[in-house]
Amino acid sequence: MDSLTQIALGSAVGVAVMGRRTALWKAALWGAVGGTLPDLDAFIDHGDAILNMTRHRAESHALFVLSLAAPVLAWIVSRVHGEAALFKRWWLAMWLVLVTHPLLDTMTVYGTQLLQPFSDYPFGVGSVFIIDLAYTVPLIVGVVAALRLNNPRGLAWNTAGLVLSTLYLAWGVGAQQHATQVARASLQAEGINAEGLLVTPAPFNTVLWRLVATTPTQYLEGHYSLLDDSKRIVWSVHPRGAELIAQHRDEPYVARMAAFTHGFYSVSAAADGQLFVTDLRMGQEPSYTFRFNLGTAAARANGGHRPTLEGFRPDMATALPWLWRRLWGERLPSPLVPPATPRLGLAPAG
């Protein structure tokens, strides 16, 4: 999740655990610090763009590593404030602050390596967007109320914020499951035997869902809103680069992207021979956040080219109005996908 959300969650957890055993501002402050610490790995340069992406949310987000760090941070906090008698309580607070950070990150689609150093499997539920005010605002309101009121009523506000935000996560999982069922039924109606199906919320909400289905040769993208008046989905169809995947699948960077994205990737080549690998999970056709230039065959062979990030974001002036209208159930084709792109599901199933 975004940094503000992690700060708010850390503060809310710190206040909830410490209660009135210490000054609320201390609990909120150190909760914010603990909620930020795991993301400091973003400042580590691993040598190239793909490693920087796939090594983010690794050891610093591992439950084992954070469990080891919790008593160290608690010891520092309790000594700084002269509260050695509260060390065990600070330990509990810091542990919960630290581990809730990666657990929340796991609800996004990015991929969080919770089990490092024992496994580098990237967990990602994908039921909440990286920025969602419906989750964040209750946390902020609860923490602010707790600090301003500084009494049991304020603590009740903080607890309510945590409860509401958690219920929102549960709602997201339920909505995702419903959208998944609709997507599977649509693919079956179109006679598509998909290898993989990805269902994630469109930006900033859990009402409109982006759907990506993969076959050995293609990937399909569609959208479904919980407010749609029918469950018919229009899919745009795009080549995955099957020949290029077969040719390059064993190259380290392509293999790394295949594993990290759970197979939701494509490979393409430019006219000058440069090879590109794209993470299909984050973005919207044709604008993807993580699109990497692997260089030409000669450059890859002699190690003269490190992967570079060449992802790009859509035109917000066009994308946001479409997002808002599509969320409310308007059947609008994506303004970003060229009109000539093949589409399935344009007519109701007979």
Side-chain angles (χ1 to χ4, degrees):
M1 297 293 283
D2 65 284
S3 297
L4 176 61
T5 299
Q6 293 290 9
I7 288 172
L9 175 61
S11 292
V13 171
V15 168
V17 175
M18 295 306 298
R20 301 193 60 78
R21 295 173 180 84
T22 187
L24 292 182
W25 69 266
K26 296 178 186 177
L29 173 63
W30 286 105
V33 170
T36 300
L37 285 177
D39 277 343
L40 295 182
D41 70 331
F43 294 101
I44 300 174
D45 185 359
H46 295 280
D48 64 65
I50 287 182
L51 286 177
N52 287 341
M53 175 199 175
T54 58
R55 295 302 301 160
H56 178 46
R57 298 192 185 179
E59 287 85 358
S60 71
H61 286 62
L63 299 179
F64 176 74
V65 174
L66 294 176
S67 294
L68 294 179
V72 177
L73 184 58
W75 184 88
I76 293 172
V77 174
S78 62
R79 265 43 180 193
V80 165
H81 296 295
E83 297 178 347
L86 292 176
F87 168 71
K88 290 185 178 179
R89 194 70 184 186
W90 275 115
W91 184 351
L92 175 62
M94 292 299 97
W95 180 74
L96 286 172
V97 165
L98 290 172
V99 300
T100 52
H101 177 122
L103 292 176
L104 177 59
D105 278 346
T106 300
M107 303 306 293
T108 70
V109 76
Y110 185 96
T112 306
Q113 297 171 50
L114 295 175
L115 301 183
Q116 285 280 4
F118 311 107
S119 169
D120 59 3
Y121 183 86
F123 294 89
V125 176
S127 59
V128 66
F129 191 68
I130 191 171
I131 300 173
D132 194 327
L133 292 179
Y135 177 81
T136 307
V137 168
L139 294 172
I140 295 175
V141 170
V143 171
V144 171
L147 292 174
R148 288 182 62 88
L149 295 175
N150 198 26
N151 58 31
R153 185 175 169 219
L155 291 176
W157 273 86
N158 184 70
T159 300
L162 281 167
V163 170
L164 286 174
S165 62
T166 303
L167 289 175
Y168 182 74
L169 291 180
W171 150 261
V173 172
Q176 181 188 43
Q177 293 305 307
H178 171 70
T180 299
Q181 292 175 1
V182 172
R184 291 193 187 282
S186 173
L187 291 170
Q188 184 176 11
E190 297 294 339
I192 300 168
N193 184 21
E195 288 184 333
L197 175 62
L198 180 74
V199 179
T200 59
F204 317 126
N205 78 104
T206 50
V207 175
L208 178 63
W209 294 82
R210 176 175 176 260
L211 320 170
V212 179
T214 59
T215 73
T217 59
Q218 300 172 323
Y219 63 92
L220 300 85
E221 181 186 62
H223 286 83
Y224 172 69
S225 172
L226 302 181
L227 301 178
D228 283 350
D229 56 8
S230 83
K231 295 181 179 179
R232 178 172 54 89
I233 296 172
V234 176
W235 300 91
S236 60
V237 185
H238 312 274
R240 284 189 67 192
E243 293 184 2
L244 292 171
I245 290 175
Q247 182 180 352
H248 300 286
R249 69 169 71 247
D250 294 328
E251 293 189 19
Y253 287 117
V254 176
R256 178 177 283 271
M257 285 297 294
F260 193 76
T261 64
H262 303 292
F264 291 97
Y265 73 105
S266 67
V267 179
S268 59
D272 61 1
Q274 294 185 98
L275 191 69
F276 293 86
V277 59
T278 301
D279 183 342
L280 300 176
R281 301 171 305 156
M282 287 167 280
Q284 180 175 331
E285 186 67 32
S287 303
Y288 290 100
T289 306
F290 295 105
R291 179 175 181 264
F292 300 96
N293 182 348
L294 304 186
T296 62
R300 297 196 306 278
N302 61 30
H305 179 86
R306 293 290 182 180
T308 56
L309 178 63
E310 296 189 10
F312 60 96
R313 301 183 184 279
D315 175 18
M316 290 295 103
T318 301
L320 287 179
W322 176 87
L323 175 71
W324 179 252
R325 294 174 62 187
R326 184 66 190 85
L327 182 152
W328 286 101
E330 287 193 51
R331 292 285 184 167
L332 301 171
S334 171
L336 307 176
V337 177
T341 301
R343 287 176 167 83
L344 301 175
L346 291 175

